Amino acid sequence: MTHSDEPRPLTPAKSPFSPDVQRQADLCIQAVLAGAAQADASALPPAVYAPGGGCCFTPGQLLERYLTGADPLDFPCSEAMDLCSALRQLTAWRELAFPLDKFVEQQILRRYAQPDQPVSEPLLRFGCYVAVCHMVYGSGGPLPQCSVFQLAAALCPGLAQQLKEQGTGQLPSDLQRCKTPRLTACANDAMASIRLLVKEDSPAAYAEALDYLCRVVQQPCFPHSYAIEYRGPARDYLPGLPKKGVNQLFACAARYPALHPAIQTYARLAARPKAQYTNLPQAVPGAFAVFALALASPQYWPLACDHLALCGPAQAHLVEKFLHTLIAQTGFVPEVLPVLVRGVQAAGRLRPGPTFAKLAASTASLDALLALKADLPAYLPAGDRRSTAARAALWESICFAIWGPPGCKGGIKVIRAAPQALKPRYAVLFGP
């Protein structure tokens, strides 16, 4: 919807509001709550307005007007949550994050840092709602979520206990707690946690666990970053990777090819930019599901490439361990090289695996690497494909990931140590 769709001029409101503009802001807030407001997403920041004319407002202006007029001791928590939800759907969470953080900091954290302040449970509940929204929508805002929850626990134990046991109440009851002969599970959106206890080492038990995981993570109210706590009877782990419960779960489930589609479904659902396992911050959600599948079958190497596109330097150690295990298992076959490239691009300079130089020292491996070098522009962003510098930088990072420091500066040491029959290939590989 644009301004031209409405038969009236719209005037951007400025703070502080005049009495007339305050009245129009109140009418706009009521229109938002009634579902009648409209937004111009092309404006920067987005403009929200009520049908009928007058001023348009930013989401921050409407929140400031509403929240500063609310009584902290009789705070309208449900209506405030409805307003935030409606504004988020009209615009985006990032437009709400800063004014909400400011309100929580000034009206909750600072207020209750002083002794003898009357405690308002609805106000604390709203603060917890904002903290959960930060986790769910991944705004990356500065609000210290743990501080809000800790404050709620200290000042309002009943609210804290409710959040701890039931979450916000938005998750369906069958997902809050699930118990079958093979599986006991629970999920909490406020605490951003999923707990799984698999009672038998069988494909049916792992299928139930995977189905539960998929149903939880696709709930709109569930945070993108969360912890998975897992226990089960089998003690299998993906080699070279941290021996955590989430590793154990997918290592065990991946032994059964019939479960691979369900594992892939979870990996796709869990894939979120900038998200992480909160009890394993170096892992993007879905990491161990992807790694288990990629180690089980080349069919899932494209999935691994997609997953690595979500990783960054914070995940470098885990990516490095995965690539070491995968390439030690496969060698430098042409089909696995895109996974190596994407890993290098995601995590930066990676240390070589202990057997990489030896694995590369064959005609087949070197020919595959030469073909990769020729095709390297296809891995670069469109704007860099003609850049000699961008291509050279990526190739040097790939060579470092295979040979380490000897692979840099023209690979002179590698060429000198190579068998005579392979020297020509190495020369082209390390040449311009």
Side-chain angles (χ1 to χ4, degrees), residues 120-322:
S120 168
E121 179 178 327
L123 185 61
L124 278 173
R125 184 180 294 276
F126 181 71
C128 292
Y129 164 80
V130 174
V132 171
C133 283
H134 270 296
M135 294 188 291
V136 172
Y137 303 113
S139 70
L143 179 69
Q145 289 94 336
C146 61
S147 297
V148 178
F149 290 128
Q150 288 170 356
L151 194 63
L155 299 178
C156 196
L159 170 60
Q161 189 67 20
Q162 180 187 24
L163 289 170
K164 184 177 180 180
E165 293 180 354
Q166 303 174 18
T168 65
Q170 296 182 78
L171 273 179
S173 58
D174 65 324
L175 295 182
Q176 290 182 30
R177 297 189 181 278
C178 171
K179 189 168 185 178
T180 74
R182 300 185 183 98
L183 173 71
T184 297
C186 63
N188 188 306
D189 56 338
M191 300 295 109
S193 65
I194 301 173
R195 295 179 180 176
L196 301 162
L197 171 61
V198 167
K199 302 173 187 177
E200 63 181 49
D201 183 26
S202 71
Y206 298 121
E208 287 187 14
L210 292 168
D211 177 70
Y212 178 82
L213 272 177
C214 290
R215 288 190 295 128
V216 169
V217 299
Q218 64 185 328
Q219 294 296 313
C221 67
F222 198 77
H224 296 171
S225 294
Y226 51 90
I228 290 182
E229 298 177 16
Y230 171 80
R231 288 187 295 152
R235 300 292 180 181
D236 290 351
Y237 295 92
L238 301 175
L241 299 173
K243 290 188 175 182
K244 300 292 185 178
V246 65
N247 179 342
Q248 180 187 358
L249 168 61
F250 289 107
C252 292
R255 292 176 300 168
Y256 303 99
L259 297 181
H260 289 181
I263 297 173
Q264 179 176 231
T265 297
Y266 166 73
R268 294 290 190 192
L269 290 171
R272 305 281 189 174
K274 300 181 181 180
Q276 62 184 22
Y277 284 128
T278 54
N279 57 341
L280 192 63
Q282 67 266 40
V284 171
F288 294 95
V290 171
F291 296 163
L293 292 175
L295 291 170
S297 170
Q299 174 185 348
Y300 297 104
W301 292 350
L303 175 66
C305 290
D306 292 344
H307 173 81
L308 291 170
L310 298 175
C311 298
Q315 289 76 45
H317 180 71
L318 202 67
V319 169
E320 183 179 274
K321 293 294 186 183
F322 163 63

Side-chain angles (χ1 to χ4, degrees), residues 75-163:
F75 189 78
C77 179
S78 295
E79 187 178 72
M81 290 164 59
D82 289 343
L83 178 63
C84 292
S85 177
L87 285 172
R88 178 184 61 78
Q89 293 176 58
L90 280 170
T91 58
W93 170 254
R94 64 178 176 272
E95 304 298 335
L96 283 61
F98 178 77
L100 288 173
D101 283 354
K102 181 180 176 182
F103 176 79
V104 170
E105 175 68 29
Q106 294 180 348
Q107 297 299 320
I108 299 179
L109 297 179
R110 289 186 185 177
R111 174 186 297 272
Y112 294 124
Q114 302 177 20
D116 302 324
Q117 284 289 324
V119 176
S120 168
E121 179 178 327
L123 185 61
L124 278 173
R125 184 180 294 276
F126 181 71
C128 292
Y129 164 80
V130 174
V132 171
C133 283
H134 270 296
M135 294 188 291
V136 172
Y137 303 113
S139 70
L143 179 69
Q145 289 94 336
C146 61
S147 297
V148 178
F149 290 128
Q150 288 170 356
L151 194 63
L155 299 178
C156 196
L159 170 60
Q161 189 67 20
Q162 180 187 24
L163 289 170

Side-chain angles (χ1 to χ4, degrees), residues 341 344-345 376-377 379-380 389-399:
V341 177
V344 168
Q345 288 177 312
L376 209 57
Y379 293 90
L380 293 169
R391 180 177 174 174
L394 176 57
W395 184 243
E396 182 175 337
S397 295
I398 293 169
C399 289

Side-chain angles (χ1 to χ4, degrees), residues 56-69:
C56 59
F57 301 88
T58 68
Q61 288 173 327
L62 294 177
L63 282 173
E64 180 182 3
R65 171 64 179 165
Y66 181 88
L67 293 172
T68 55

